Amino acid sequence: MQRLCFLLLTALLLGFTPRTASAAPLSADTVKLTLPEAEQRFLQNNLSLLAQRYNVSAAEAQILQAKLWDNPTIYLEQNAYNQQTGRVLDVTRTGNSIVQVQQLFAIAGRRKAAAKVAQQNALAEHFNLEDLLRTLRYQLRSTFYDLYYKQQSVRVYDLEVTSFQRTVNLYQGQYDKGNIALKEVIRLKAFLFQLRNERQALLNDIASEQADLRILMRDTSGAYYVPTADDNRLQALNLAGRTEQQLIDSAQVNRADVKARQATLQQQNQNLRYQRALAVPDLSVGYVYDRAGNYIQNYNALTLGIAVPIFNRNQGNIRTAQSQIEISKAQLSQQQLQVQNDVQEAWRQASQTDALYQTAGRETRDFDRLMKGIDESYAKRNLTIVEYLDFYESYKNNLVQLNALRSNRIRAFEQLNFAVGRPLFN
């Protein structure tokens, strides 16, 4: 009752102008958009995907880095002052010069182990890119279909507001002539105000999703997109020929987040081998030339150096690597459980929503034919104002809720695609 009074009072204060706002902003270009076009622009322009591709490139560069040899070390020594000749930096035969060259050799397969760790890290980053693509594609497709059906609902409001505005104008004229009571005009205006409020709320949702769509496609033009789709193909979507367990098994194989966890586990296994290789000291091989500072002139020698693993045998890092393996195993099991639950929940929602859609009355022709005679019947006083408004409310609710059901059904199928990790329904 309070809500009705508020609508009546607001209607009187606003006075209702016959203008109706357009669904698309007048200042923006209206662009029709198909889903393949949206996905192509998304794949080419999305900034999040671009950033993750750079992460993959950086990880692949670390494979090259891990395979590189250590640089040789060159050591030069020259006596600063020759007391016998009085020369500074004497580089002649009477002075002394020492040249030493050393090269570090990694033994126990350290470089090979480091390269395998880097390879698994790059593979994990690649799967992270696939998982990001899976997530963003789900957002794109869901936003696309939400916009598609919400814009259809806006068209319902446009038609109803336009039609009802004519009725209000007609009955306002009859009231001005003293033919009908004021309360009837106020009731009509209040219902028109309610329609406009609902329409504006829907437009606000559309504006938010338009912004999301432009961000996903990295569109700076500010265009207003009108998604287009094949209704016959959308209606033909079904779960026939698939079982829940089949989809769970497929998800465990195809989901990129599971593959990323598996790659991380392999990376930790390779890291354990790498840490054990680090426990073996590297071998340093060198050459020394000493012109006058040794027991003979022009002294040449070969040097070998190796650290004696008495105190530091890399014990702490090896134990850490072993613990990281157990952590990765637990995370992989957790992710596999998450995937199973994701598919089960998505399957349940898709089954229920599709069943509701199949049993719902999807034809609106009866309503359309009925509404053609409603205005005439009301004008002839064959209907009370309560019956008249009830018909309009039922007509609007039927179409809007049907579009909402269609949108929820498509979103449920997209959620199932997302949960399985590959496009089952297009």
Side-chain angles (χ1 to χ4, degrees):
M1 185 65 185
Q2 291 178 346
R3 180 172 178 269
L4 176 60
C5 293
F6 171 75
L7 292 173
L8 294 175
L9 180 59
T10 308
L12 286 174
L13 293 175
L14 293 179
F16 293 105
T17 60
R19 293 189 297 269
T20 303
S22 172
L26 297 178
S27 59
D29 293 332
T30 300
V31 179
K32 290 186 176 181
L33 184 70
T34 65
L35 185 57
E37 292 172 345
E39 288 186 324
Q40 182 180 8
R41 297 176 60 177
F42 156 74
L43 291 173
Q44 292 175 347
N45 301 324
N46 186 267
L47 290 173
S48 297
L49 288 180
L50 180 63
Q52 184 58 30
R53 289 190 182 106
Y54 283 124
N55 284 339
V56 173
S57 298
E60 290 174 345
Q62 290 302 307
I63 301 174
L64 173 64
Q65 183 64 36
K67 293 179 178 180
L68 297 178
W69 287 74
D70 293 307
N71 291 322
T73 301
I74 300 178
Y75 169 80
L76 298 176
E77 182 179 330
Q78 176 66 45
N79 64 323
Y81 177 73
N82 191 330
Q83 296 178 350
Q84 294 179 355
T85 62
R87 292 179 178 179
V88 177
L89 298 178
D90 186 4
V91 296
T92 67
R93 290 184 177 182
T94 58
N96 184 42
S97 299
I98 300 175
V99 179
Q100 182 175 357
V101 180
Q102 283 190 334
Q103 175 65 51
L104 192 68
F105 291 93
I107 57 180
R110 178 173 65 85
R111 284 193 308 111
K112 184 178 180 181
K116 288 185 177 180
V117 172
Q119 287 172 352
Q120 290 300 320
N121 182 59
L123 188 60
E125 288 295 339
H126 176 75
F127 289 136
N128 287 336
L129 172 61
E130 288 187 5
D131 191 52
L132 177 63
L133 177 61
R134 178 180 70 98
T135 301
L136 293 179
R137 177 176 277 128
Y138 166 70
Q139 294 178 8
L140 176 75
R141 294 173 67 94
S142 298
T143 302
F144 180 90
Y145 285 118
D146 281 349
L147 277 174
Y148 176 71
Y149 287 112
K150 284 180 179 178
Q151 287 176 351
Q152 289 190 351
S153 294
V154 167
R155 295 188 188 101
V156 173
Y157 279 102
D158 287 342
L159 293 174
E160 191 159 341
V161 167
T162 301
S163 174
F164 211 81
Q165 182 67 64
R166 289 195 296 265
T167 301
V168 169
N169 293 340
L170 176 64
Y171 279 81
Q172 180 67 49
Q174 292 298 315
Y175 166 73
D176 293 339
K177 295 177 182 179
N179 295 332
I180 60 174
L182 176 62
K183 64 179 182 179
E184 194 164 350
V185 177
I186 292 176
R187 189 76 178 270
L188 292 172
K189 287 184 176 182
F191 185 74
L192 179 59
F193 178 68
Q194 175 184 333
L195 290 178
R196 285 178 168 170
N197 269 347
E198 292 175 1
R199 178 181 179 276
Q200 186 58 50
L202 194 56
L203 288 177
N204 292 340
D205 291 341
I206 288 175
S208 177
E209 293 190 348
Q210 287 279 343
D212 293 340
L213 187 63
R214 286 192 290 268
I215 290 175
L216 288 167
M217 298 189 302
R218 198 175 66 172
D219 181 4
T220 59
S221 67
Y224 182 88
Y225 288 104
V226 179
T228 60
D230 187 346
D231 286 324
N232 292 329
R233 290 186 63 185
L234 296 179
Q235 292 178 10
L237 294 177
N238 60 79
L239 297 173
R242 298 178 176 90
T243 66
E244 181 179 339
Q245 188 57 48
Q246 286 176 342
L247 296 182
I248 291 175
D249 295 339
S250 178
Q252 298 292 1
V253 174
N254 292 291
R255 281 274 289 261
D257 48 357
V258 173
K259 294 179 180 178
R261 291 296 186 188
Q262 292 170 341
T264 300
L265 176 58
Q266 291 301 317
Q267 180 188 7
Q268 296 304 332
N269 285 324
Q270 294 296 336
N271 183 54
L272 177 59
R273 296 187 180 95
Y274 174 63
Q275 296 302 328
R276 286 172 174 167
L278 288 177
V280 180
D282 295 329
L283 176 64
S284 177
V285 179
Y287 163 77
V288 176
Y289 168 75
D290 189 338
R291 183 165 57 192
N294 217 303
Y295 74 100
I296 59 173
Q297 293 286 330
N298 296 321
Y299 172 80
N300 294 271
L302 178 66
T303 64
L304 296 175
I306 190 169
V308 181
I310 298 176
F311 305 109
N312 183 356
R313 298 187 301 278
N314 208 32
Q315 303 97 314
N317 288 334
I318 291 175
R319 291 183 62 182
T320 299
Q322 291 171 337
S323 297
Q324 290 296 330
I325 290 175
E326 297 305 318
I327 292 173
S328 296
K329 287 181 180 179
Q331 290 175 339
L332 175 58
S333 298
Q334 174 66 25
Q335 194 63 42
Q336 290 171 335
L337 178 61
Q338 181 67 49
V339 167
Q340 178 178 339
N341 281 276
D342 287 348
V343 175
Q344 288 173 339
E345 180 63 19
W347 174 267
R348 182 185 63 82
Q349 291 184 8
S351 300
Q352 292 178 352
T353 308
D354 187 54
L356 177 61
Y357 176 76
Q358 298 300 336
T359 57
R362 287 172 280 167
E363 294 295 334
T364 61
R365 286 176 292 185
D366 291 340
F367 259 109
D368 295 337
R369 288 195 299 268
L370 179 63
M371 292 308 298
K372 290 180 181 179
I374 290 299
D375 290 334
E376 184 179 349
S377 297
Y378 180 55
K380 294 179 179 180
R381 295 303 182 180
N382 295 329
L383 294 175
T384 66
I385 188 171
V386 174
E387 293 172 327
Y388 177 62
L389 295 180
D390 182 64
F391 274 118
Y392 257 99
E393 181 75 13
S394 298
Y395 177 70
K396 180 259 299 181
N397 286 342
N398 179 71
L399 294 179
V400 172
Q401 290 178 10
L402 180 56
N403 283 331
L405 176 59
R406 290 167 175 165
S407 178
N408 291 337
R409 174 175 172 266
I410 297 301
R411 177 178 284 272
F413 280 113
E414 289 297 333
Q415 181 69 34
L416 193 54
N417 283 340
F418 176 70
V420 175
R422 64 185 181 93
L424 298 171
F425 311 98
N426 288 313

